[in-house]
Amino acid sequence: MNFEFTEEQLAVRDAAREFAQKELLPGVIERDNEQRFPMEQVKMMGELGFLGMMVDPKYGGGGMDTVSYVLAMEEISKIDASASVCMSVNNSLVCWGIEKYGTEAQKQKYLTKLASGEIWGAFCLSEPEAGSDATSQRTTAEDKGDHYLLNGNKNWITNGSTASVYLVFAQTDREKKHKGINCLIVEKDQDGFVVGKKEDKLGIRGSDTHSLGFTDVIVPKENRLGTEGEGFTIAMKTLNGGRIGIASQALGIASGAYELAINYSKERKAFGKEISQHQGIAFKLAEMATKIEASRLLCLQAAQLKDKKKDFSLQSAMAKLYASETAMYTTIEAVQIHGGYGFVKEYHVERLMRDAKITQIYEGTSEIQKIVISRALLKE
Ligand code: CAA
């Protein structure tokens, strides 16, 4: 593994850092309070190329590598995880899926707009009764010859109300179990498609998480991604890459909280000296920094393997598991180091602590990552 960054990768990281500080930091507390989607800022992210970073430039993307994506995700997540989840879903789940499995017509029609940031998308796998157990899809896509008739409900959908294009997973042939699942590209304004309830969440409150309803939605066959019954494989392979995005988000949340904590500990005095000079605080900082560095190396390892076109599913699950646990640990300690100030909104660390929690849940809970990791280990 080579962890020396190229000039291009460093330029991407610096651009993301500058954007986050200048455009995302102002108003981040208010957006969290009001559960307001960072619309203006996400549009700017699109214009700057952060929504389609790895897509081939011929389809409007940035043509960058996954390492650059990790660096950008970390910087943006340090400041606003509600904006970075929109970025992660569009890059890793929606653009990647269409670029990898889409027909040329699908790429021209959808990917070009998604990758250039003109619009963004949503990935609709979870259902009221199919979260971790993703093969149990109840949503149906009945084969009607030249089209599918889509019926069912999806839950917890990131970008639920602001997306324009939705990748919807649905069961066509129940007898074939997961081999009977299809992935359909659905547009927002299609008849029978309703954006439902907005979730009132613990964290990433600026992100628009909705339930979705589909009643007799007619989806033409040309909108199926991949071959008949390939939907579940598409979901799993897409999530392998998505987990690098969420691991990097967790890394950013952790490193953002750590930076705030170390700065505060050097300013705040107690018992006649800066609190960083007390071993109780210094040891917390040492542990936070070590776990963050380990998370960063795991993210970069998974990203490099992906860039080298090698199997990275084990490493992305390890990165997601470890970075999300680190985000939770680090943000709790950052609040503790801030004492009473950590418990109020103005100091940012309480928001980071609330935002950290979802990284242990979405795109596969920590328990699911352990299933993926242990199965890979025991297979060898
Ligand atoms: N990569 C590639 N293929 C995989 C895979 C992986 N990581 N994991 C499973 N598969 C394949 C298997 O090889 C198998 O294929 P074959 O039948 O062709 O051999 C098929 O998928 C079924 O796998 P299993 O038999 O292992 O199925 P299972 O039911 O025992 O377990 C699971 C599957 C891994 C637990 C899966 O259900 C899973 O990943 N669940 C978590 C779902 C998830 O991450 N949801 C996130 C929602 S999206 C989201 O959060 C986005 C957002 O908004 C932020």
Side-chain angles (χ1 to χ4, degrees):
M1 291 289 143
N2 172 15
F3 294 125
E4 292 226 342
F5 301 123
T6 63
E7 278 185 23
E8 277 166 346
Q9 289 165 341
L10 291 174
V12 171
R13 184 196 63 188
D14 293 347
R17 185 177 293 169
E18 194 187 330
F19 170 76
Q21 290 291 337
K22 219 165 107 188
E23 307 295 344
L24 290 172
L25 185 57
V28 68
I29 294 173
E30 292 74 16
R31 291 195 299 275
D32 173 73
N33 275 340
E34 296 159 18
Q35 303 189 69
R36 184 156 40 83
F37 183 79
M39 183 60 86
E40 202 185 308
Q41 291 82 354
V42 169
K43 283 186 180 162
M44 284 170 88
M45 280 162 66
E47 283 159 21
L48 291 168
F50 289 123
L51 294 188
M53 292 182 67
M54 294 163 288
V55 175
D56 191 323
K58 76 176 176 194
Y59 298 116
M64 287 177 231
D65 58 13
T66 316
V67 169
S68 301
Y69 173 54
V70 168
L71 296 176
M73 274 297 294
E74 179 180 352
E75 292 305 322
I76 288 175
S77 306
K78 274 184 191 175
I79 306 298
D80 190 346
S82 293
S84 74
V85 68
C86 174
M87 170 176 162
S88 182
V89 165
N90 199 59
N91 273 287
S92 299
L93 303 187
V94 181
C95 286
W96 189 86
I98 299 178
E99 187 166 27
K100 173 81 183 165
Y101 294 98
T103 60
E104 188 55 31
Q106 288 168 346
K107 290 180 194 176
Q108 292 299 343
K109 186 168 179 191
Y110 299 111
L111 185 59
T112 47
K113 288 187 189 160
L114 289 160
S116 62
E118 208 180 301
I119 57 171
W120 49 91
F123 183 84
C124 313
L125 179 67
S126 302
E127 297 185 357
E129 287 168 88
S132 290
D133 185 7
T135 58
S136 300
Q137 296 286 303
R138 301 266 169 104
T139 298
T140 54
E142 213 182 318
D143 191 335
K144 293 282 185 188
D146 64 343
H147 67 271
Y148 295 98
L149 204 57
L150 185 63
N151 279 288
N153 295 295
K154 293 287 171 182
N155 258 24
W156 324 114
I157 304 304
T158 301
N159 301 337
S161 67
T162 60
S164 303
V165 170
Y166 298 74
L167 299 188
V168 182
F169 295 86
Q171 190 82 48
T172 297
D173 188 340
R174 201 163 292 287
E175 281 188 6
K176 290 188 180 158
K177 300 185 175 158
H178 67 273
K179 291 194 162 88
I181 293 173
N182 278 312
C183 175
L184 307 180
I185 305 175
V186 178
E187 294 179 32
K188 188 190 235 145
D189 53 10
Q190 283 183 246
D191 283 346
F193 174 20
V194 177
V195 175
K197 175 172 144 248
K198 178 176 174 171
E199 302 295 347
D200 184 357
K201 307 190 296 291
L202 171 76
I204 56 160
R205 287 169 61 79
S207 161
D208 62 319
T209 311
H210 285 256
S211 56
L212 307 175
F214 304 93
T215 310
D216 290 339
V217 178
I218 294 171
V219 184
K221 277 263 167 89
E222 69 242 32
N223 274 29
R224 186 189 65 223
L225 206 56
T227 55
E228 180 69 40
E230 202 184 3
F232 194 73
T233 305
I234 294 176
M236 290 297 106
K237 295 227 163 130
T238 305
L239 282 166
N240 287 336
R243 287 166 186 160
I244 299 178
I246 299 305
S248 314
Q249 180 187 48
L251 168 66
I253 294 170
S255 57
Y258 168 77
E259 283 174 17
L260 291 168
I262 194 164
N263 290 340
Y264 180 80
S265 74
K266 289 197 272 191
E267 284 162 13
R268 173 77 175 170
K269 290 202 171 98
F271 304 102
K273 55 185 177 185
E274 292 157 0
I275 61 170
S276 60
Q277 298 306 309
H278 293 289
Q279 199 177 57
I281 301 296
F283 277 16
K284 281 189 197 299
L285 294 169
E287 209 152 329
M288 290 156 90
T290 307
K291 286 179 191 288
I292 290 168
E293 199 55 25
S295 302
R296 186 174 289 118
L297 294 174
L298 282 170
C299 288
L300 291 172
Q301 172 179 246
Q304 279 197 8
L305 286 171
K306 181 167 175 281
D307 288 337
K308 286 181 181 160
K309 313 246 177 293
K310 293 190 176 163
D311 184 6
F312 61 93
S313 53
L314 169 64
Q315 288 76 10
S316 67
M318 284 179 166
K320 160 98 168 43
L321 173 65
Y322 194 78
S324 62
E325 303 289 326
T326 296
M328 208 60 247
Y329 168 83
T330 306
T331 53
I332 287 175
E333 291 295 52
V335 170
Q336 191 68 16
I337 289 171
H338 279 76
Y341 293 102
F343 207 62
V344 297
K345 303 213 168 200
E346 207 183 321
Y347 283 76
H348 296 282
V349 283
E350 67 80 36
R351 186 186 71 259
L352 292 169
M353 186 184 86
R354 289 186 284 104
D355 288 352
K357 187 61 206 168
I358 192 61
T359 65
Q360 295 178 307
I361 299 174
Y362 57 23
E363 299 205 21
T365 61
S366 290
E367 291 74 15
I368 290 294
Q369 304 315 318
K370 288 178 196 173
I371 291 178
V372 174
I373 294 165
S374 59
R375 281 184 183 172
L377 297 176
L378 294 167
K379 200 173 69 180
E380 283 165 1

